[in-house]
Amino acid sequence: EQLGNIELRAIALEKALELDDQNSDLMFSAAYSQNKSDLKSLSLFNYKTKLNFNSDDSATLNNLGVSCKNLDMPVNSVRYYSKSAELKNTLAMSNLAILYLNEGFSNEAKEILQKALKEDDPHENVAESLHRVSELESKEKEKFDNLINNGIKQKQFIQNFATAYFINFD
């Protein structure tokens, strides 16, 4: 870690885990480092194994959702984020809301984020995600309005063109 080498840290933690395979905190740290490096399958395995110690570990469930997202498994990602969110993990709520937002479900995203804000000590990403929802809605409203104005201009141009072409055609 002191060398700033993410891959080497992930490998060292895996070696430590080999020597102490019942240490769930070490397993979490190893999985976290592995997910930040190119060892994403190993990270997935370690997070999944960590759930054997406590199937309701909301942090592990959230990070398993992150791993699944990074490995292009959106169904599993939502499944783990949702389970973690049910356990009131506000970071998982934020992550789930962003997935919804990215697919256009801004109302659902806001609903999850509002729920997260009501929890004790919500994760800082919740407010950031709420801002992102608001920002995206504002940008899309502006784009929508601009496209409507362009549509009005196109309509007028096409009607004038059609008049000139079909009616005033000599």
Side-chain angles (χ1 to χ4, degrees), residues 2-170:
Q2 292 173 354
L3 297 173
N5 187 327
I6 296 169
E7 293 241 336
L8 194 55
R9 173 178 164 72
I11 292 167
L13 287 169
E14 186 60 33
K15 184 62 178 175
L17 193 55
E18 178 186 3
L19 302 173
D20 189 5
D21 66 350
Q22 298 301 305
N23 185 330
S24 68
D25 291 337
L26 179 60
M27 191 173 292
F28 186 91
S29 294
Y32 185 84
S33 291
Q34 292 155 355
N35 195 48
K36 291 172 76 173
S37 71
D38 287 333
L39 301 170
K40 296 195 183 334
S41 295
L42 180 57
S43 171
L44 183 76
F45 172 80
N46 280 327
Y47 279 134
K48 184 72 170 131
T49 302
K50 186 172 180 330
L51 287 181
N52 293 334
F53 294 97
N54 177 4
S55 62
D56 287 336
D57 180 342
S58 70
T60 299
L61 288 163
N62 174 68
N63 286 17
L64 202 45
V66 172
S67 288
C68 289
K69 182 179 179 290
N70 290 340
L71 292 165
D72 297 320
M73 295 186 293
V75 172
N76 280 313
S77 182
V78 168
R79 181 176 295 126
Y80 288 114
Y81 284 150
S82 295
K83 175 105 168 119
S84 182
E86 287 171 14
L87 296 167
K88 304 198 184 305
N89 183 308
T90 58
L91 178 56
M93 291 174 179
S94 178
N95 290 336
L96 188 58
I98 292 303
L99 288 181
Y100 284 171
L101 180 62
N102 289 341
E103 295 302 320
F105 294 95
S106 66
N107 288 338
E108 291 79 357
K110 280 192 281 192
E111 184 179 312
I112 291 170
L113 293 167
Q114 294 297 336
K115 190 175 182 181
L117 282 177
K118 292 177 184 172
E119 295 298 326
D120 294 335
D121 194 28
H123 193 277
E124 63 190 35
N125 287 13
V126 173
E128 194 176 300
S129 295
L130 258 174
H131 177 71
R132 191 169 164 190
V133 170
S134 176
E135 193 174 66
L136 184 59
E137 286 179 334
S138 178
K139 283 181 182 176
E140 281 201 19
K141 182 188 179 325
E142 183 179 334
K143 183 176 182 178
F144 186 87
D145 291 345
N146 286 336
L147 289 168
I148 291 295
N149 288 332
N150 287 342
I152 291 168
K153 290 174 186 173
Q154 283 180 338
K155 179 179 179 69
Q156 291 169 342
F157 175 81
I158 294 297
Q159 287 175 346
N160 290 338
F161 175 82
T163 298
Y165 189 85
F166 293 114
I167 297 173
N168 297 332
F169 186 74
D170 289 330

